[in-house]
Amino acid sequence: MDLNDSTSLAELMSRYVSTETGFGVPKDGWRICLAHEFKEKRKPFQARDVSLSNMIEHVSLGVRYLRWWYRKTQVEKKAPFIDMFRALPLRQIYGAPLGGIGGGSITRGWRGDFCRWQLNPGMYHYKTVIANQFTVCLRRGGQTVYQQVLSMDRPPTLQDWNWGYCGEYAFYHALYPRSWTVYHLPGQNVTLTCRQVSPVIPHDYKDSSLPVAVFVWDIENKNDYALDVSIMFTMVNGSGHKDDKSGGHWNEPFHLEKDGESVSGVLLHHQTPVNPYTLCIAAREKSGQEISHQTAFSPKGTCSTLWSDLMTDGRLDSPKDSSPPTHKGEEVAAALAVSCSVPANNHNSVEFSLAWDMPKITFGSRERIYVRRYTRYYGTKGDAAPSLSHYALTHYSKWEESIDEWQRPILQDGSLPAWYKSALFNELYFVVDGGTVWVELPEDADISGGLRPEDGGLPAQPDVVKEYGRFAYLEGQEYRMYNTYDVHFYASFALIMLWPKLALSVQYDIAGSVVQHDPTERLNLMNGRYSPVKTWGVVPHDIGDPVTPSLCFWSSSAYCGGLWLASVCMMCKMARVLKCESVYQRYRDILERGRAAFDKLLWNGKYYNYDSSGQSLSNSVMSDQCAGQWFLRASGLGEDDYQAFPKEKICSALKSVFDLNVMSFAGGQMGAVNGMRPEGVPDRSSVQSDEVWVGVVYGLAATMIHEGMIEEGMHTTEGCYRAVWERMGMAFQTPEAYCEKGIYRSLAYMRPLSIWAIQLALNNRPNHNKTTDKDVGQG
């Protein structure tokens, strides 16, 4: 397939039979017909996928891991931070997540399902809650003429509801942090467009923290007569988890008027003993519209009463009282409806919000309580849901103005292809949906690691952390380790460019941990040796998982050697900035000697060998061999006094990687494989060498662009995007890795945020003049 055509994209929309384009839907983004079925079905990498040779080589590791896994899951009854035996199966259903940063997240799939939940920090629950739906009711002349759940499902419960919407009449379009779902109603000459808006706004550290999202329903009536239209939003008190039936949950209606604006809705109080929370469905009161509700209904059985209530007059009964607490084994849900009139050949809109308020959180060990960032503005009492909803419904238009202002220069840059614009913004989902936590710094906290400023350390509470809080995100939804530093190394570009204060907060946390020391002996699963949990002066691998702390460290060769040289080069720059000439000369001498040794040991005339061990596979071509040069270029260095690698060697190495790892792998259509033999076959010597790491590919592409290889860089990136988003069905769950056929590993991974390194490289192109879409055709 020619990557420059749109064959795979067209296939995503091939089953769409309507000609309706929706209301205000942009042209750029990821678009898919709700009836689409992905042909390619992949399976997760598991222990049984390890090759026999690798199994023999690592048999001791396998035994240690099995013992550890058994103790963790069967004895301690805890979730292992990496589970090789119960990897997540691929569900090709996910869409843009709801909510801001660090307050928990709820993912709504591209078919409209509420299907991925992360309300407890870092712990994911993958459950489609079938009663969480939007339903449309059309009335003419006082009679209901059409009532439909906007879902393709036909569940075995709620049987009296009209299910089975025909997905061939609808499509989903995502340009994060917004998405649009367009529903043409067959035979009704009516089109609905649901616009989903979350407050994810660069350089905003207030609204971006809010756990809330808005759904704007634009209703187009193309008939020559008026219609009364009602949209009903139903929501279960819970997330489909077993604690939904634990008892004690209750709902209550509310109305809040403030600053001349009113909202009404239902609060769903979820009274769990650990991390209780309140869900809130709300609507904005507008002239000519009526809001009605049903405080409580059972989401089990036929549920005919609620369906008939809406069908009778397009409104719900609206009881004023709270519901009684549920008994053990019971579930409870709520419904909210907004009714309006839509004139002939005209348009109207209604607005809903979904908020959740879990102000205080504990992690698995429950050693202390943290408060989320948004509580700085809404308090910690757990009563913020009405105010959050009111604020969202009255300010979302300002959010959209900020989002448009941020995205417009890139979307209007005609030198950039359409697929890239989709990839750049949609990969940002992980900033919200990466098990992300953003908490306030407690008054008694000390992040310095114990080394005081007078001794060269940090203050106990740096001003940046006091003002902007502490931020952490998982290595991946399946690899539950927070702020994994060797992966954040790639992903950090998104934070640095869009929320730099959060990036700085992470750096303070890591810097403080470097000087920490924990002599507690712990078994290292990799080599079977016992070693201290944390040694003074060592950068930690991560800052722990949502259950227990976990710190370790590893390294490799040509890759790490290049990064080491780049670091020395940076020390030279820092010394010059601080006007410490003696320090500069010291590190300059180290750089000269290191550069010579690096070339002597690793350069083979075309590229840098994987390592200098002299073994049979030492001359494999590593896709990420120029990572040191990448970071130098990204930092504005890499030339003259701050050059660690000769430009001609970097360009030669990148050309070798492009020719071998990219174009000689999978027909040049899947990005760059990690390791390639000089003869043009993948290196299969390890589990990871024949994988494509999406985030590494994005970093490689950025390096190419920095060195003027723009076409090669964009081609390399496009292969990954089209494979993941258009063929494998992994939208909004970009994995760490995939092989050429059959296998993927670690869904929803941090590293692909490195795509923002590509944008930095594009921004830094010499003499780059942006053009509009009218000037250059879009691919």
Side-chain angles (χ1 to χ4, degrees):
M1 183 188 75
D2 181 359
L3 289 183
N4 290 320
D5 70 25
S6 57
T7 302
S8 53
L9 175 60
E11 186 174 331
L12 298 181
M13 286 293 291
S14 63
R15 296 188 63 181
Y16 186 60
V17 298
S18 174
T19 59
E20 295 297 322
T21 57
F23 188 89
V25 182
K27 69 182 185 66
D28 293 309
W30 182 72
R31 183 172 295 192
I32 184 169
C33 175
L34 266 59
H36 182 75
E37 293 288 345
F38 288 95
K39 297 177 182 177
E40 186 167 346
K41 307 292 182 182
R42 291 197 164 222
K43 295 182 179 180
F45 177 89
Q46 298 194 68
R48 62 175 176 266
D49 296 305
V50 179
S51 68
L52 180 60
S53 59
N54 277 310
M55 197 173 293
I56 293 172
E57 182 178 353
H58 299 294
V59 63
S60 298
L61 168 62
V63 171
R64 286 190 295 271
Y65 177 83
L66 182 60
R67 288 174 176 170
W68 173 84
W69 180 89
Y70 181 85
R71 185 181 73 251
K72 183 69 65 174
T73 60
Q74 305 302 312
V75 179
E76 299 177 12
K77 303 297 182 182
K78 293 181 179 179
F81 66 90
I82 296 179
D83 195 332
M84 290 294 294
F85 297 105
R86 295 185 294 206
L88 282 180
L90 177 60
R91 301 175 70 201
Q92 298 165 316
I93 64 172
Y94 296 116
L98 304 167
I101 301 171
S105 58
I106 300 172
T107 295
R108 186 166 176 252
W110 51 267
R111 286 191 172 126
D113 303 317
F114 291 80
C115 51
R116 184 167 66 193
W117 307 77
Q118 188 259 144
L119 298 178
N120 285 311
M123 304 303 291
Y124 274 86
H125 178 58
Y126 303 90
K127 176 71 174 181
T128 296
V129 182
I130 197 64
N132 292 354
Q133 299 290 346
F134 285 101
T135 296
V136 60
C137 173
L138 304 183
R139 293 174 58 80
R140 181 187 179 195
Q143 298 294 320
T144 297
V145 296
Y146 181 89
Q147 187 162 300
Q148 175 72 54
V149 182
L150 296 171
S151 169
M152 296 171 58
D153 289 321
R154 296 181 182 273
T157 187
L158 306 174
Q159 298 96 321
D160 280 357
W161 294 15
N162 185 24
W163 295 91
Y165 172 82
C166 182
E168 294 179 348
Y169 288 89
F171 70 86
Y172 177 85
H173 185 98
L175 188 65
Y176 191 75
R178 291 182 289 184
S179 67
W180 295 256
T181 310
V182 177
Y183 303 89
H184 179 63
L185 305 183
Q188 305 305 313
N189 219 15
V190 172
T191 299
L192 309 175
T193 301
C194 177
R195 184 168 83 256
Q196 175 182 305
V197 185
S198 291
V200 181
I201 305 164
H203 308 288
D204 178 295
Y205 299 90
K206 176 181 178 286
D207 288 10
S208 290
S209 72
L210 303 183
V212 65
V214 172
F215 304 96
V216 181
W217 286 85
D218 287 292
I219 307 161
E220 296 177 274
N221 177 15
K222 299 188 178 180
N223 294 291
D224 58 5
Y225 48 82
L227 286 170
D228 292 323
V229 180
S230 299
I231 304 290
M232 181 174 70
F233 186 13
T234 50
M235 176 67 60
V236 171
N237 187 329
S239 62
H241 193 269
K242 62 182 180 181
D243 65 22
D244 292 0
K245 299 181 180 180
S246 61
H249 311 314
W250 59 285
N251 302 343
E252 64 171 325
F254 81 94
H255 173 83
L256 177 61
E257 182 176 352
K258 182 180 179 182
D259 300 329
E261 295 274 5
S262 297
V263 300
S264 296
V266 183
L267 301 171
L268 297 84
H269 301 292
H270 200 74
Q271 302 296 98
T272 49
V274 179
N275 298 340
Y277 61 91
T278 295
L279 292 168
C280 177
I281 54 176
R284 185 181 187 180
E285 295 187 1
K286 296 165 67 175
S287 177
Q289 299 187 2
E290 181 178 347
I291 301 173
S292 57
H293 71 269
Q294 181 55 258
T295 306
F297 71 91
S298 172
K300 300 297 181 182
T302 64
C303 202
S304 60
T305 302
L306 181 69
W307 190 258
S308 299
D309 187 11
L310 182 67
M311 183 170 285
T312 298
D313 57 5
R315 294 163 179 80
L316 301 175
D317 281 347
S318 301
K320 295 181 180 180
D321 295 332
S322 303
S323 69
T326 57
H327 296 292
K328 190 171 184 179
E330 290 182 341
E331 294 180 83
V332 66
L336 187 69
V338 181
S339 307
C340 68
S341 179
V342 187
N345 296 301
N346 216 316
H347 157 269
N348 205 342
S349 64
V350 300
E351 303 161 336
F352 292 89
S353 66
L354 172 63
W356 51 98
D357 183 22
M358 183 191 284
K360 299 178 181 180
I361 55 174
T362 61
F363 294 90
S365 60
R366 304 179 191 175
E367 293 176 358
R368 69 177 305 162
I369 295 174
Y370 297 86
V371 297
R372 296 195 193 264
R373 167 71 175 184
Y374 75 90
T375 62
R376 174 174 291 207
Y377 314 104
Y378 289 90
T380 62
K381 296 180 180 179
D383 59 358
S387 295
L388 283 166
S389 303
H390 188 283
Y391 186 84
L393 287 165
T394 56
H395 287 76
Y396 78 86
S397 60
K398 294 182 180 179
W399 299 345
E400 292 196 280
E401 289 174 7
S402 298
I403 292 167
D404 284 334
E405 183 179 356
W406 157 47
Q407 294 183 338
R408 187 180 300 114
I410 294 172
L411 298 179
Q412 291 184 350
D413 187 344
S415 69
L416 302 176
W419 63 262
Y420 171 75
K421 297 169 185 177
S422 172
L424 182 69
F425 291 114
N426 285 326
E427 289 286 14
L428 273 178
Y429 83 94
F430 194 84
V431 173
V432 164
D433 210 6
T436 312
V437 291
W438 186 2
V439 297
E440 292 287 83
L441 184 66
E443 292 183 0
D444 62 345
D446 181 353
I447 72 166
S448 69
L451 186 65
R452 297 302 178 200
E454 56 269 23
D455 299 318
L458 301 173
Q461 297 200 346
D463 290 342
V464 167
V465 184
K466 287 172 65 176
E467 177 62 26
Y468 297 99
R470 303 179 81 176
F471 175 86
Y473 54 167
L474 295 176
E475 179 177 332
Q477 290 183 11
E478 293 191 80
Y479 288 10
R480 291 195 317 279
M481 295 165 280
Y482 273 118
N483 291 352
T484 300
Y485 205 57
D486 64 309
V487 183
H488 172 70
F489 167 78
Y490 294 81
S492 60
F493 283 88
L495 293 182
I496 291 168
M497 295 175 70
L498 303 175
W499 294 277
K501 302 300 185 183
L502 296 184
L504 191 55
S505 177
V506 171
Q507 291 298 88
Y508 271 111
D509 260 335
I510 294 295
S513 69
V514 168
V515 298
Q516 290 178 353
H517 178 65
D518 183 351
T520 306
E521 293 282 314
R522 179 171 292 178
L523 176 67
N524 188 314
L525 291 178
M526 184 61 69
N527 57 27
R529 300 170 187 163
Y530 282 87
S531 60
V533 168
K534 175 67 177 63
T535 301
W536 190 96
V538 173
V539 177
H541 172 262
D542 60 86
I543 61 170
D545 72 29
V547 180
T548 55
S550 174
L551 300 166
C552 58
F553 179 77
W554 62 60
S555 65
S556 47
S557 185
Y559 174 75
C560 282
L563 291 177
W564 187 86
L565 281 179
S567 300
V568 174
C569 193
M570 185 59 70
M571 290 298 294
C572 292
K573 178 64 175 179
M574 292 167 65
R576 275 281 164 87
V577 169
L578 297 173
K579 299 181 180 179
C580 298
E581 190 61 24
S582 62
V583 175
Y584 170 81
Q585 291 299 334
R586 175 189 172 195
Y587 281 100
R588 183 71 192 178
D589 178 62
I590 294 173
L591 178 62
E592 293 293 342
R593 290 185 286 118
R595 188 163 56 185
F598 188 80
D599 276 2
K600 180 179 179 181
L601 291 171
L602 297 169
W603 182 250
N604 66 17
K606 291 185 177 181
Y607 58 88
Y608 295 102
N609 287 336
Y610 174 73
D611 64 27
S612 59
S613 67
Q615 296 181 4
S616 60
L617 299 176
S618 291
N619 64 339
S620 286
V621 186
M622 185 182 186
S623 65
D624 211 11
Q625 61 184 271
C626 297
Q629 177 72 357
W630 168 34
F631 257 67
L632 285 177
R633 288 293 198 190
S635 303
L637 304 178
E639 295 180 335
D640 302 325
D641 289 347
Y642 307 106
Q643 182 184 69
F645 314 94
K647 180 175 177 61
E648 65 275 10
K649 291 183 179 179
I650 290 293
C651 290
S652 176
L654 291 174
K655 184 179 185 304
S656 297
V657 170
F658 184 73
D659 291 344
L660 290 169
N661 301 59
V662 179
M663 298 308 295
S664 297
F665 174 74
Q669 300 176 12
M670 296 184 73
V673 68
N674 278 342
M676 181 67 85
R677 299 295 301 139
E679 57 270 24
V681 296
D683 182 334
R684 305 189 189 280
S685 60
S686 75
V687 167
Q688 299 174 341
S689 59
D690 67 342
E691 293 180 329
V692 175
W693 289 9
V694 180
V696 166
V697 171
Y698 291 160
L700 167 63
T703 313
M704 291 176 172
I705 293 168
H706 278 301
E707 300 302 327
M709 300 171 62
I710 298 173
E711 183 177 345
E712 293 90 339
M714 296 304 278
H715 180 98
T716 301
T717 307
E718 184 178 2
C720 270
Y721 172 77
R722 294 208 188 274
V724 170
W725 288 77
E726 297 180 359
R727 298 200 299 276
M728 297 182 194
M730 296 179 178
F732 298 100
Q733 53 181 330
T734 304
E736 156 72 325
Y738 57 80
C739 295
E740 182 175 1
K741 296 179 181 179
I743 299 295
Y744 65 85
R745 183 168 58 80
S746 188
L747 290 171
Y749 199 76
M750 178 201 293
R751 201 187 314 258
L753 285 172
S754 61
I755 194 169
W756 279 85
I758 296 177
Q759 187 59 34
L760 178 65
L762 291 169
N763 291 345
N764 291 343
R765 284 176 290 174
N767 304 316
H768 171 52
N769 294 315
K770 294 177 181 177
T771 55
T772 66
D773 290 348
K774 295 180 181 179
D775 300 321
V776 180
Q778 294 293 288

